[in-house]
Amino acid sequence: MPLKIFWTLNMYTDLYKKINKACCFITVFLGDEKISEGTGFSLNEQGQVVTAGHVITGRFPLLKKDIEDPNVKIFVKFPDIAVLEYKVVFCGFNIECEGFNEELQLDISVIHPKQETHETFPYLITTSGSPDLGEEVFLAGYPEELVMSFDFANLMKEDIKGVKEFKEAMNKGFIADMMGPLIKRSVVGNLRKLVSRNDALGLSVETASFYADNGMHSGASGGPVINRNGEVVGVITQRSVTSASQSNDTSLKVPAGSTICLSLGCLPVANQILNGGS
């Protein structure tokens, strides 16, 4: 029994270290103004990153004008790797269904380094399959609940040499070096699948929206959902909310304590469409 317990703990330690290295902090600027920040994860050695679409645009639904704005700059910071500027491969995956008033938009994006780099990036293996109901998973991201130990960033004197540069660096993602992502264990508590086919193009998409029964807060959007085998089975899209209706405010919503995630079933189809030039 002691050997079994040690093996289990060691397995999670190795998995957490792998997740920590492959997650990145994303900041998006419109000119000099930071309009969005969130989490992403690398899916290959070239540093191609998956994240939530709204992390790139700063809002949802995803709008083409936000993605194509030449004044938008996307910066990505991996632990122990210099900040790199990225460009959008695709942002949002729209599915047109008969009987729907409008297209269904999946909140997912893939971005790539803007300039060629000789870095070899740590990455996570992805799977297009969905997790099972009741399956244990791990959520990783840079939520706003993470604060720097001892609050020393706010205690530093502004007139000390290097403090200004330090804070500017933190604003572009150096939290990845200082802290790393927060990783939580969870269980898939609810899952619903969507299957869509286009027979004319020979394309089929199976994706799932699922709830993990542990809460991740703002900033963790775009982070990976990983199974016990170390495979990414989803991306964090939003925290769930529930009504806290009161007589003077019937629309009040509060965090519900769980996280909404999206499986990666659209990624192979997106790759097929992009390679086909459509």
Side-chain angles (χ1 to χ4, degrees), residues 112-247:
H112 191 80
K114 194 170 184 178
Q115 304 293 334
E116 184 178 352
T117 173
H118 299 292
E119 290 282 356
T120 300
F121 293 82
Y123 65 95
L124 298 170
I125 300 297
T126 61
T127 176
S128 59
S130 305
D132 293 323
L133 189 64
E135 181 177 354
E136 182 182 43
V137 292
F138 303 87
L139 312 175
Y142 290 89
E144 60 190 15
E145 63 193 279
L146 272 178
V147 294
M148 203 165 294
S149 300
F150 309 113
D151 198 30
F152 76 85
N154 291 325
L155 296 175
M156 299 170 74
K157 294 182 178 180
E158 296 289 342
D159 57 349
I160 300 295
K161 184 179 179 181
V163 170
K164 180 181 178 182
E165 291 77 9
F166 170 79
K167 291 190 174 182
E168 288 176 352
M170 289 296 291
N171 197 40
K172 283 192 177 180
F174 272 82
I175 188 175
D177 286 330
M178 299 296 294
M179 301 184 68
L182 179 62
I183 305 170
K184 295 183 178 182
R185 292 170 65 178
S186 185
V187 171
V188 177
N190 185 282
L191 183 145
R192 291 295 179 266
K193 291 185 178 181
L194 170 73
V195 179
S196 180
R197 289 186 293 272
N198 186 314
D199 295 329
L201 296 177
L203 298 175
S204 177
V205 179
E206 180 177 310
T207 191
S209 175
F210 60 94
Y211 285 73
D213 67 346
N214 202 338
M216 297 291 274
H217 294 82
S218 296
S221 290
V225 184
I226 307 102
N227 64 20
R228 293 178 65 177
N229 296 324
E231 301 168 321
V232 181
V233 295
V235 60
I236 296 170
T237 57
Q238 64 187 104
R239 56 181 172 180
S240 62
V241 295
T242 187
S243 175
S245 178
Q246 300 177 11
S247 57

Side-chain angles (χ1 to χ4, degrees), residues 90 93-95 106 128 196-198 201-207 264-278:
F90 79 88
F93 191 99
N94 288 17
I95 299 175
L106 303 184
S128 59
S196 180
R197 289 186 293 272
N198 186 314
L201 296 177
L203 298 175
S204 177
V205 179
E206 180 177 310
T207 191
L264 306 180
C266 69
L267 289 187
V269 181
N271 187 55
Q272 186 177 346
I273 294 172
L274 291 169
N275 289 335
S278 174

Side-chain angles (χ1 to χ4, degrees), residues 23-42:
C23 284
C24 59
F25 192 84
I26 300 171
T27 51
V28 183
F29 287 81
L30 179 60
D32 295 328
E33 179 188 1
K34 182 162 66 174
I35 61 171
S36 182
E37 62 183 25
T39 305
F41 60 93
S42 179

